[in-house]
Amino acid sequence: MSEFYENLIAPDMYNMADDLLKAPSDRLALIWENEAGDERTVTYGELSGMVGRLGNVLKDIGLKKGERVMVMMPRLPETYAIYMSLLKSGLVILPGSELLMPGDIEYRLNHAEVRAVIAHHTFTSRFDEAFKQSPTVQYRLAVGGDVPGWLSYDALTQEADEAFSGEQTSRDDLAFLSYTSGTTGYPKGVMHTHGWGYAHFRIAAERWLGSEPLSRVWATL
């Protein structure tokens, strides 16, 4: 095996979030702007604090390493914190497109035996219908607004501690369970491990995006 490919193999114990949060705390991580021109900036230190607060919330409500969590969020700074917190907690992420309807959601919840859902408050009604046929879902967090029957992400994270050690994960532990579009039958779950993330980080920025440290990369819907 060449040195290039050897450098894409993660250490035995590895977590994707550690790579994502290793930048200096005062370095700019995110610049967010909505259609009205409102802008927010988030440093890596602030992002790490958001990740830690949610991590403690997830631990306190009872989620365990390896359990599956479906996420449906618009492109907000909180979305990045949610993904990284789930990774750091050793939980498995099911990314949910904003185009999914209750039937699509129900299939994924049941097929993956999802234990928790984190969704923006504008999407929760789609899940409420799907929950009726999804007995494994035990926890649900609504982001950005209060929703009856849902825990409040905003209230819980506001009170939580930022210090969070996370879970030890190996390069072979599952990180993402992403579903195909289902054009040839039911959607299929595609598994990505933490070790996949290690290789992806070392290829995507330089070879796909042509970016380097301190570059600004535009992520849009």
Side-chain angles (χ1 to χ4, degrees):
M1 183 183 297
S2 71
E3 182 179 352
F4 173 78
Y5 290 107
E6 288 180 351
N7 290 335
L8 301 182
I9 299 175
D12 289 340
M13 301 305 296
Y14 173 75
N15 186 287
M16 290 173 64
D18 293 337
D19 256 343
L20 293 165
L21 294 171
K22 68 182 181 182
S25 61
D26 60 347
R27 181 173 294 176
L28 192 61
L30 300 169
I31 302 173
W32 175 87
E33 184 177 344
N34 66 9
E35 61 273 13
D38 302 318
E39 185 176 301
R40 289 172 60 189
T41 58
V42 180
T43 65
Y44 277 96
E46 292 168 335
L47 185 59
S48 180
M50 294 166 69
V51 169
R53 287 195 293 272
L54 178 57
N56 282 308
V57 168
L58 298 174
K59 182 178 180 179
D60 289 345
I61 65 175
L63 282 170
K64 303 290 192 299
K65 177 183 175 182
E67 292 183 324
R68 283 86 184 272
V69 180
M70 188 169 181
V71 179
M72 185 182 285
M73 288 287 297
R75 197 64 59 88
L76 295 169
E78 287 76 13
T79 306
Y80 293 87
I82 289 167
Y83 271 63
M84 283 187 272
S85 187
L86 292 172
L87 291 170
K88 194 172 181 68
S89 300
L91 296 161
V92 181
I93 301 169
L94 273 75
S97 166
E98 298 169 54
L99 299 177
L100 296 179
M101 293 292 110
D104 307 309
I105 293 168
E106 180 187 322
Y107 174 80
R108 287 159 172 77
L109 295 180
N110 288 326
H111 188 265
E113 298 182 337
V114 168
R115 182 55 58 89
V117 170
I118 302 176
H120 194 260
H121 70 99
T122 56
F123 302 136
T124 55
S125 60
R126 301 185 204 175
F127 284 92
D128 287 335
E129 184 174 339
F131 287 149
K132 299 173 185 177
Q133 303 299 326
S134 302
T136 63
V137 177
Q138 189 171 356
Y139 312 103
R140 56 195 79 173
L141 278 79
V143 182
D146 293 331
V147 179
W150 290 66
L151 298 173
S152 171
Y153 167 96
D154 304 67
L156 290 172
T157 55
Q158 185 175 4
E159 300 298 326
D161 191 348
E162 291 186 358
F164 179 64
S165 57
E167 290 284 343
Q168 289 289 317
T169 56
S170 79
R171 65 188 179 200
D172 297 322
D173 281 336
L174 194 59
F176 287 93
L177 184 56
S178 302
Y179 277 78
T180 65
S181 59
T183 53
T184 56
Y186 287 112
K188 286 82 175 172
V190 180
M191 298 185 292
H192 292 301
T193 65
H194 282 271
W196 162 84
Y198 183 90
H200 181 75
F201 296 154
R202 284 151 182 79
I203 291 176
E206 177 184 355
R207 294 176 178 263
W208 294 358
L209 302 175
S211 62
E212 55 189 31
L214 301 183
S215 293
R216 293 188 176 185
V217 179
W218 180 22
T220 188
L221 295 177

